[in-house]
Structures are given as C-alpha cells and as structure tokens.
Amino acid sequence: MIPPGMCYLLDAPGLQIVTPVNSWEMKMSDSIIADFRSDTITRPTPEMRRAMAEAEVADDGREGDPTARRLEQSAAALTGHEAALFCTSGTMGNLVAFMAHLRPGEEVIAERDSHFLRFEAGGATAVAGAVPRTLPGHRGRMDLEELAREIQAGSRHRPRTALIVAENTHNLAGGAVLDVEYMRQLWAVAADHGIPVHLDGARVCNAAVALGAPVKDLTSGCASVMVDLSKGLCAPYGSLLCGGEEFIARARHMRQRVGGGVRQIGHMAACGLIALEQMVDRLAEDHRNARLLAEGLHEKRPEVVDLDQVQTNMVLLDTGPLGVTAAALCERLASRGVLALPMESHLVRFVTHRDVTAEQVAAAVPVILGVL
Ligand SMILES: *Cc1c(COP(=O)(O)O)cnc(C)c1O
C-alpha cells in the first residue's frame, strides 16, 4: 500500500530518507566572519526576552490567551483581514490553510519551486490531501494567462482547482518580490474563476519594505495569508494565518487537529507583537546589506551574481561558471568563516539578517572573492 504523500515523504517501511549534505553541520572555521545561512538564525532581541517573561497569559485552549488575541488582532490589521490565527511555524500556517481551504483530492495550483512543495515535508499532500499542479515561474511569478488556462472546474475524472498559491517574497527565486500590480492581476484572475488565493507571505514584510508599500496592499485581496515571525523579524517562534472570520474559525479547528493548540502561548505571542510592531522597518537594513554584498561580488565577478535578482535580503551566487557545485563552494567558504547555504546544485544562497552587520558584509566580500 502506498501511504498518502509518499511521493514526497519516501517514508514507507523499507525506504530510507536520503539526507543530502547537511550544511548546518558543515565543518566550520573557528572564527565566523559572517553567517549568511538564513534569517531564521536570528535570536530574540532583549526586548523580546523581557516581554516573554512579563507576558499576560491564560489557557488558550479554554478562556483564551489575551496576548495571543492581541497579536492576532494586530496581524489582521496589518494584512487587511478580519481575523488571524497564531500558529507554531510558517509550515504549520501553510498546512492549516490548505486543510481549511481544501477537501482531499482537490487541486492546488502553485509555482513549481514554491516553499510548500520543496521544504515542508509534503504536508500539503500527505496531510491536507492537496493535488499540486505546478507552473514554472519567472522570478517567482507564474504567468497569469497560463494560470487562467490551467484552472479546471472538475468533472467525473478531473480534480477541481480549489486554491491558487503565491509566494511573496519567493524564497527559491532569491527573495523575489511580487509587486502590488501583479498581486492585483492575480486576484482578478482568481476572482474571475471564483477561486481563493493563499499567499505564503513568510517574508511579505520584506516585500512591503522593498516596495515602500503597506503590507495590506499585497495581502488584502488574498483569501488567506501566512506571515512568518521567525525570519527577519527575529521572533523565536510562530506565524500568523490571516483571513476572514469564518475561514479562521475553520483554521482554528484544523490547527487543533494537527496539535497546534498551545496553552499559555502568550509568552511566545509577546515576542510576536514586538516582531510586528518594532522589527518590520529594520528589514530595510538587511536589504541594504544584501545589496552591498551583491555589488561587492559583482564588481569583480559579474558572471556569478545577477544584480537584478537582488530585491530584498537574499543574494544568489551561480557556481555554474566556476565549474564547482554549490555544496563544494559552501564547504570552502565555511572553512574560511563565511557561512552560506547550497540551495540547488549550482546555486548558493546568502541571506542578510539582524545578526549580520554592514561591517561583517564588508569583511566577507574579499574572503568570498578569494575563494572564488
Ligand atoms: C521559511 C518559510 C516557510 C516556513 O516557515 P517556518 O517558520 O520555517 O516553518 C514557508 N514559506 C516560505 C516562503 C519560507 O521561506
């Protein structure tokens, strides 16, 4: 028997999960010049640690946690939605959204390199029963005419398209931004067919800061949006799934189903409030540092970095012209104290975040160029 989701999980008895080079356990130099692996490595700020200790809390499975409620209201206002649900992680926020939008066997259309397809352990299929149909993207964008053609009503044979997913910023496209105009066009196509849009907005605050636009201009027309607190916003935990009252009530039920109802969750929500209220504008600093890094590398080695790709806090380095794999380059960089992640066989990702300063970037550039 094939267990649900096996196409992603490979966890049937007798099959082994093959783990590629674990770059998180790479041999590192003793002195780290800069850690560009991910904005998830950011630790809670001193204000967050204090807020955690002092948070007003109660059992969120009973009378409700007051700090979690405040966080949910704040996220709903930020994204232009009626309600929000505090989830354990971005992955859980996406999963719960799929469970609330779809019945098993219904179709989700998404860009081919979407985070939920590549990095969320197959949950959309294994748990929510989604049938993914993927379209190639350009800088994270699906072609909207192609998207309109792919939507199907469902029949005796065909699964019904029940959801469209977009990702902003797009992780594997190197933090690419979907702008307000594109989002409006996407909403129009979806509305024409009566299909909801879920936005994986793990880094939608980065997109808003890069565009100089309010977050809600990128999110209000979506049926749901997930905003992650534990990336550049520096909280240790959590995401918010935002949407209409009815949708969020259904999502709350689904969160319970996957064990995501947490009791005195206000301790974590207190960090989330600081993330949303105090950490969003700071993302501009990460974007400036990514630019600094990209320009430093491009100046000497224009063939490996495309400056147009660098819109937010990520820089992609193409190792193709160098004739080495991304994993090999990352190992060499690590031995000189610069940490980055191999994302694809020939793509290295550098992410800037609160724990990388402009001085560290300036120090890292000659080291990276030396290795190149
Ligand atoms: C990180 C990320 C997620 C998952 O978030 P976690 O909090 O790590 O579970 C989802 N989508 C995108 C685009 C991400 O970058």
Side-chain angles (χ1 to χ4, degrees):
M1 199 189 77
I2 298 175
M6 195 187 109
C7 53
Y8 294 117
L9 283 172
L10 298 178
D11 63 354
L15 280 176
Q16 238 189 325
I17 296 177
V18 181
T19 312
V21 179
N22 185 350
S23 49
W24 298 88
E25 286 167 19
M26 236 159 17
K27 205 164 173 301
M28 294 174 191
S29 151
D30 289 339
S31 57
I32 301 298
I33 295 166
D35 189 342
F36 295 110
R37 287 171 305 170
S38 177
D39 45 9
T40 57
I41 70 164
T42 47
R43 279 155 301 197
T45 65
E47 292 80 0
M48 286 179 182
R49 288 175 191 269
R50 267 197 300 280
M52 253 188 265
E54 293 163 7
E56 189 193 341
V57 297
D59 186 344
D60 200 38
R62 300 195 179 280
E63 62 275 25
D65 183 285
T67 309
R69 285 303 85 69
R70 272 176 55 214
L71 175 62
E72 288 170 348
Q73 282 159 13
S74 168
L78 179 77
T79 57
H81 284 279
E82 287 173 359
L85 177 69
F86 191 28
C87 294
T88 302
S89 63
T91 300
M92 184 182 279
N94 281 339
L95 177 62
V96 162
F98 295 135
M99 293 170 77
H101 278 299
L102 296 165
R103 279 178 303 203
E106 290 186 323
E107 186 177 83
V108 175
I109 299 184
E111 197 277 332
R112 193 181 61 183
D113 288 326
S114 298
H115 191 280
F116 85 89
L117 293 169
R118 299 292 303 273
F119 303 115
E120 297 179 17
T125 296
V127 184
V131 178
R133 180 131 78 155
T134 65
L135 300 180
H138 177 68
R139 298 232 153 98
R141 291 167 189 231
M142 294 180 278
D143 179 87
L144 295 178
E145 282 173 22
E146 193 182 357
L147 172 66
R149 281 197 301 275
E150 291 294 319
I151 292 170
Q152 52 185 15
S155 69
R156 176 167 168 181
H157 296 280
R158 291 170 187 250
R160 181 180 80 88
T161 305
L163 188 66
I164 296 166
V165 177
E167 187 175 312
N168 199 9
T169 64
H170 194 290
N171 189 335
L172 269 181
V177 173
L178 308 181
D179 60 27
V180 177
E181 187 50 36
Y182 179 85
M183 291 307 299
R184 287 198 184 132
Q185 289 170 7
L186 174 65
W187 297 334
V189 169
D192 272 353
H193 294 82
I195 302 194
V197 174
H198 171 68
L199 183 69
D200 178 343
R203 294 189 184 82
V204 74
C205 294
N206 291 81
V209 165
L211 294 167
V215 170
K216 61 169 172 287
D217 287 8
L218 297 168
T219 55
S220 61
C222 298
S224 58
V225 52
M226 181 278 284
V227 181
D228 208 318
L229 301 172
S230 66
K231 305 268 165 103
L233 300 183
C234 304
Y237 174 106
S239 75
L240 287 136
L241 178 62
C242 311
E245 297 274 9
E246 215 179 294
F247 171 81
I248 292 299
R250 209 158 53 243
R252 206 174 285 280
H253 181 69
M254 294 304 176
R255 187 186 69 174
Q256 191 65 22
R257 184 170 288 178
V258 293
V262 180
R263 302 299 183 177
Q264 285 74 28
I265 194 61
H267 289 296
M268 289 292 116
C271 292
L273 278 165
I274 290 174
L276 290 187
E277 288 166 5
Q278 299 177 27
M279 305 303 283
V280 174
D281 294 343
R282 195 208 57 79
L283 294 170
E285 220 171 275
D286 300 344
H287 299 179
R288 277 196 298 275
N289 284 338
R291 201 76 214 164
L292 211 61
L293 174 65
E295 283 168 0
L297 299 177
H298 182 86
E299 193 187 328
K300 296 274 159 46
R301 301 301 295 266
E303 72 279 18
V304 297
V305 173
D306 174 5
L307 287 182
D308 289 341
Q309 167 267 311
V310 186
Q311 293 182 287
T312 54
N313 67 331
M314 296 183 192
V315 178
L316 296 179
L317 188 153
D318 179 6
T319 66
L322 308 168
V324 296
T325 65
L329 183 68
C330 285
E331 284 212 32
R332 274 212 236 153
L333 289 172
S335 70
R336 312 263 159 97
V338 174
L339 307 183
L341 274 190
M343 291 304 279
E344 304 284 21
S345 59
H346 286 89
L347 222 46
V348 175
R349 189 189 73 173
F350 297 79
V351 184
T352 52
H353 51 79
R354 185 172 176 271
D355 294 345
V356 178
T357 62
E359 290 71 35
Q360 284 177 296
V361 173
V365 167
V367 175
I368 300 168
L369 286 171
V371 171
L372 294 183

